[in-house]
Amino acid sequence: MEQEIDTNELGESIVRVLKGIYDPEIPVDIYELGLIYDVMVNTDYEVKILMTLTSPNCPVAESLPREVEEKVKGIENIKDVDVEITFDPPWSKDLMSEEAKLELGML
């Protein structure tokens, strides 16, 4: 019998990993910064992450999505990770968590 996937637990593991990845220009993790729009996990332990960057000309446009993919792939049982970049809607400071705004002195 196949083990049933606990999507909540797996989702929490993914969020923990994402909170360990920082934007090099802003001292806040990419999750709290609001760069992660969606995380989807299917029953085959395949993950799709929809994310954005602070701007289309972001200097880490190539390396940051690759870092997200590699670090999430490192979670036990994850078979594949697809990171898709979108600029719709464009990132804005409104997407930042209260924690991130506090960290940056915006509150």
Side-chain angles (χ1 to χ4, degrees):
M1 189 168 143
E2 214 174 291
Q3 180 181 345
E4 188 163 317
I5 184 170
D6 184 343
T7 53
N8 285 338
E9 186 178 316
L10 190 54
E12 288 173 13
S13 295
I14 292 168
V15 168
R16 272 194 304 275
V17 166
L18 295 173
K19 284 186 170 197
I21 302 171
Y22 287 78
D23 184 294
E25 297 179 318
I26 306 169
V28 175
D29 70 75
I30 62 170
Y31 189 83
E32 297 298 338
L33 201 52
L35 298 182
I36 304 299
Y37 287 168
D38 201 1
V39 175
M40 298 152 275
V41 181
N42 69 21
T43 54
D44 292 327
Y45 291 91
E46 297 168 334
V47 178
K48 180 168 183 173
I49 298 173
L50 183 63
M51 68 176 289
T52 193
L53 302 168
T54 53
S55 80
N57 300 324
C58 183
V60 293
E62 289 186 28
S63 63
L64 190 59
R66 193 169 40 249
E67 180 181 1
V68 169
E69 179 182 336
E70 290 170 1
K71 289 192 174 173
V72 173
K73 269 186 183 172
I75 297 172
E76 187 177 356
N77 296 324
I78 297 291
K79 292 182 180 152
D80 192 34
V81 178
D82 178 33
V83 177
E84 183 181 330
I85 299 294
T86 185
F87 292 101
D88 184 29
W91 180 84
S92 74
K93 292 176 182 170
D94 296 337
L95 296 170
M96 294 169 57
S97 70
E98 296 294 312
E99 181 180 311
K101 289 176 183 174
L102 186 63
E103 180 80 24
L104 296 173
M106 298 172 72
L107 287 180

